[in-house]
Structure formats: C-alpha cells, structure tokens
Amino acid sequence: MNRAERLRVAFTGGRGAHWHPTDALVRGLVLGVGMVVLGGVLHEVELVLFGAPLLLSTLLALVTPVVGTPEVRVRGLPRTGEVGAAKSVVEVDPGLGAEVLAIRLPGVGAGIGPVHLLSGQAREIEVVLRRDAWGEGVDLRPDHLVAGPDALFVHGPVTAAERGRVILPPVEALPAGLLPARAVGLVGAHRARRPGDSVELRDIRAFQPGDRLRRIDWRVSLRASAGAAEGTNLHVREHHAEADADVVLALDTRLDVGAELGDWSVPAKVASGRALGRSLGEWSLASRGTTVRPAGSLDLAVRAAASLAAGYLRQGDRVGLVDLGRPQLGARAGAGRRQLLRLRNQLVVCARSAGWAQRPVLRPEQVPHGALVVVLSPFLDAEVVELAVHAARRGNLVLAVDVLPSPLRADRETPWGESALKVIRLEHDVRLEAMRQHGVAVVQWGAPIAGVLRAARTARRVTR
C-alpha cells in the first residue's frame, strides 16, 4: 500500500468513496423500534409518542432515493500566477437526494483551508486564493463529504487531489538609471560602433560607388559643389547601426542566508518561523509557496534577476539565465515577453533545486562574446569572486550584484556573536574590493547601477 492509499484509508476509515449508512441510522432504528415496543409492552404512551416520530423519520430517510456519485471539479485555476489574490470556481455535482455538502475550501490565510458546510443544492462555489510568496505551493484541495436526508447515508469523505500553482517571482521597479549592455548584434535597440541604417547620424562623407541614393545629403552636396569646377560633389549621410545587447544573469543558488547570523545553520522554514515569532502551525502556512528564506539572499537574488530581465527585455535585448550551482538548469538567451515568462518560471525551478555546490560553474560557451554578465550572489566565498574576475578577463563587462541582507545581526545567544559578525563583514568587504580592483562593477541591489556600469566601461576603455 503506497502513501496515497494509506492516507485515503486513514481519512475515510477504510470505508472508501461510496454511499454507506452512518451510526445515526442504526441509532434511529434501534431507539425507534425499542421505544415503540417497550411502550406497548409497558402500556406507556409517552414512550410510543417519542419513539414513533424517530422511527418514522428513519424509515422515510430509508425510502428516499440517494443515488449518483458526487463529483467535485476545479475550474479556472491556472498553472502559474502572480503574487496576490486569484479567483477559482469549484463545480459540485452532489447527486440525487443529497442535502448537505461538507467541503474543504481555502480560508482567509494560506493553506488548504477549513471545512465548510453548504447546502446540497450548491453547484458552483467561487473561492479566493491568496499567496503572498513566490514559488510552488498547494492552493486548493477540495476534500468533501456528501450527506443524504438526516445524514443517515453519506458519501465519503473523499480526499481530493491537490491543486497548486507556480507563483512567479515579482517584477519590481528597477533602480534609477538602468544602462543597457554593449551592443554586439546586427539589429536592435542600441547604438553600435559600425555604420548602419538607424536614425542617429554618425558621419557625412563623400559619395562612393555602392552607396544608396536615398542617403545623399543634398544640402551638403550643393554647398560642397558651389564653385567646384568638376560638377556636383555628392555627399552621403552615414548613420549608426542599431544592435541588441546580450545579458547573462548568473544566479548563485549555493547559499541562502538571512539577516540573522544565528539562523544561517538552520533550515529556511525554521529560520522564517523564528523571524516571524509564530507557532509551528502558523508559520508553516505563512511560508507556504516558497522554498527560500523570506528576505534572504536567494529571495533577493531571484527578485533582482526577474526585475533586471524585465528591464532589459523591455528594451529589446536578449537575456539568458545561468545557475552557477547547477548549470543544467539555465535558460538560453532570448527576447520578448515569452522569454520573460520562461525566465521567471526557470527562476522558481532554480530556487527549488537550490543547495550547496563545491564550486560555481560558468562555462565560456554560456556567455556570448561581449555580453554583460550580471552575477547575483552574497559573495561569501572566494570561488564566486574568482568566477566573476575570470569572466571580466575574458572581455565581458561584469556587474556583481551583492544580495547579502543588510544590516546583518549578530547571534545574541553566543558570546562571540559580535566578533563573528565583524569577521564576516571584513571578509565580505575584502572580496568586493578585490572584484573592483579587477575591473568588475560592484553594486548592492537597490542602488543605482547606471553610474557603476558607466564607470566600469570607461575604466576598461582607458586600460585598453
């Protein structure tokens, strides 16, 4: 017997999903017959008056037909959704003769919800589903029980299948001054160094064989031809080419830490429960829907990656995703609204599979030449720093986004908590400064990144 069958037997008491009599039917028959017979034998009219209605109501419930197999279906529940409230409809077919429906529906908070008693005439029930955390989770499990007249016959209880959604990471407002990457394509939204057919003027030069006539600048040509002895001196307008930018989001899923140093060694749900100060049952439902620490480094990294992807894709760039801990979970670079949906789904997959890996991996074939590499990490070890520096040495512009929660709080339960906090801060600052010395732009998530990228690009040109 597998786990699902054991759960069904434990929930239904081994009776299965079919119409069966309840204990009330047995009690009604025994008490009704007993009181009528006892009243007749003892010549007590009161016993007959009490037992006859009970016996008649039980017999009436027995002759009332209760047929059909109750069915409960969920309609309008998408596979993916956004953080917040959503609506769904539960369709109910209780069968002929049903009077009461007991069904489990979501309540005000998270989780599968309490049991609600409804009339047997209910056919469609509108439910409101609310999730305040991104990630995978169960939204609805319509366990149900259908009762006939006087609840003498019931169908179930039935343990329904769990229905869940994938809540996508939210796209937040980008820091001011988002700067596009260096253009390397043929057609796109940014200015490239090569000449092309955009609207931005690059130069005016003399006409050459092969130039298009529509590029001729007649004003400059007439001015240059004035007084010329050899006829018209034609000049053409040369424009910049427009190109797309390639952006690679490198997500570090090996570490997930919060602001409390004392919680770094405990699981994410336990840490979130301590932070919220709730009981076991409450915080387990509150954290449902996400597999990371709320407001932790991985949560910030996923939100930052989704926001950066939305910003660059809105400009027409190509954006790809690389999981530094598990490179097989990345996503190829693409453009458009469908690519944003693909990246947000893949971010949930990466967070679900997050865990410690010995070394981060960023293969050269995963990074197009000239692409902007955005490394999102708390930078708590030297391996990810070396990875960012090697990417910069290969000729890519690298932006290191620090997602370490700030400010960090020492562990108050140990006497060396403050000392450990100082050591962690100093080592973290040394790693960030080492990346700056090697040409990597470093910024903490939430700060403007345009100036940092512009300064890093200028420094690279001066070095060249």
Side-chain angles (χ1 to χ4, degrees):
M1 183 181 297
N2 55 27
R3 181 179 180 183
E5 292 178 349
R6 290 197 302 268
L7 180 62
R8 178 181 60 81
V9 171
F11 190 84
T12 62
R15 293 187 295 270
H18 58 271
W19 289 102
H20 56 86
T22 62
D23 297 337
L25 176 63
V26 178
R27 289 194 297 266
L29 289 175
V30 172
L31 289 177
V33 173
M35 293 178 71
V36 171
V37 173
L38 186 60
V41 172
L42 299 178
H43 302 285
E44 295 289 342
V45 181
E46 294 82 359
L47 293 178
V48 177
L49 292 177
F50 278 107
L54 183 60
L55 179 61
L56 291 176
S57 61
T58 304
L59 294 177
L60 182 61
L62 287 174
V63 299
T64 302
V66 182
V67 295
T69 301
E71 295 183 1
V72 175
R73 297 178 295 272
V74 179
R75 175 168 55 87
L77 185 62
R79 297 179 59 184
T80 60
E82 302 289 341
V83 172
K87 292 184 178 180
S88 180
V89 176
V90 178
E91 296 180 346
V92 180
D93 182 11
L96 182 62
E99 288 189 354
V100 179
L101 170 66
I103 185 170
R104 188 186 299 276
L105 297 175
V108 178
I112 57 178
V115 176
H116 301 263
L117 292 178
L118 304 174
S119 171
Q121 305 300 322
R123 292 297 180 268
E124 289 189 354
I125 307 169
E126 186 177 275
V127 295
V128 178
L129 310 174
R130 183 171 185 85
R131 294 260 296 280
D132 296 326
W134 59 268
E136 297 177 339
V138 177
D139 291 277
L140 185 62
R141 197 186 74 189
D143 303 338
H144 56 277
L145 181 144
V146 180
D150 296 332
L152 300 182
F153 284 90
V154 296
H155 183 280
V158 177
T159 304
E162 294 181 345
R163 300 294 299 272
R165 295 176 297 159
V166 176
I167 301 299
L168 301 178
V171 176
E172 302 172 354
L174 288 171
L178 180 65
L179 188 68
R182 184 170 66 88
V184 297
L186 297 177
V187 179
H190 309 296
R191 190 185 71 179
R193 296 182 179 179
R194 63 175 63 87
D197 293 328
S198 72
V199 296
E200 188 172 353
L201 181 64
R202 181 174 182 266
D203 193 12
I204 296 179
R205 58 173 175 79
F207 181 86
Q208 297 177 0
D211 289 336
R212 298 180 181 180
L213 296 180
R214 65 183 179 87
R215 292 186 178 180
I216 297 177
D217 191 323
W218 294 105
R219 291 184 179 181
V220 177
S221 298
L222 292 175
R223 191 181 302 115
S225 300
E230 299 182 357
T232 304
N233 190 2
L234 297 178
H235 284 70
V236 296
R237 299 170 64 90
E238 190 176 77
H239 298 81
H240 283 283
E242 291 182 344
D244 290 329
D246 284 313
V247 182
V248 177
L249 302 175
L251 183 67
D252 188 2
T253 59
R254 301 172 305 127
L255 296 173
D256 183 17
V257 296
E260 296 286 345
L261 265 65
D263 295 336
W264 283 18
S265 60
V266 299
K269 288 188 176 182
V270 177
S272 61
R274 290 181 178 178
L276 295 175
R278 300 176 177 176
S279 62
L280 179 63
E282 291 175 345
W283 65 257
S284 62
L285 293 178
S287 61
R288 184 183 296 273
T290 179
T291 55
V292 302
R293 300 173 189 264
S297 61
L298 188 54
D299 184 22
L300 295 177
V302 170
R303 292 172 180 265
S307 302
L308 289 172
Y312 281 110
L313 289 172
R314 193 180 300 116
Q315 297 177 156
D317 302 324
R318 296 184 298 271
V319 182
L321 176 66
V322 176
D323 188 336
L324 299 181
R326 290 156 183 80
Q328 69 275 12
L329 298 181
R332 294 183 178 181
R337 297 176 60 183
R338 181 172 295 183
Q339 178 67 7
L340 177 60
L341 181 61
R342 184 182 299 113
L343 289 175
R344 294 173 72 188
N345 275 281
Q346 197 62 28
L347 286 171
V348 176
V349 175
C350 294
R352 180 186 60 194
S353 305
W356 172 250
Q358 186 174 3
R359 292 186 62 86
V361 178
L362 182 62
R363 302 187 182 97
E365 59 269 16
Q366 293 177 309
V367 182
H369 177 69
L372 169 65
V373 180
V374 182
V375 182
L376 301 111
S377 172
F379 297 103
L380 292 176
D381 58 347
E383 284 75 11
V384 68
V385 175
E386 295 177 0
L387 180 143
V389 171
H390 289 166
R393 289 177 178 176
R394 288 196 295 264
N396 297 99
L397 180 61
V398 180
L399 173 65
V401 179
D402 179 22
V403 293
L404 184 67
S406 179
L408 294 176
R409 292 184 290 271
D411 187 3
R412 302 296 182 182
E413 298 180 359
T414 58
W416 53 85
E418 292 293 339
S419 300
L421 177 59
K422 292 180 181 179
V423 172
I424 292 175
R425 284 177 175 173
L426 289 174
E427 291 180 346
H428 183 257
D429 293 341
V430 168
R431 296 188 188 98
L432 298 185
E433 185 61 28
M435 289 190 292
R436 292 190 184 98
Q437 295 297 328
H438 288 84
V440 177
V442 180
V443 64
Q444 188 174 15
W445 177 245
I449 64 176
V452 178
L453 280 176
R454 189 180 299 110
R457 182 178 300 176
T458 303
R460 290 181 60 194
R461 291 177 181 176
V462 172
T463 303
R464 288 179 180 177

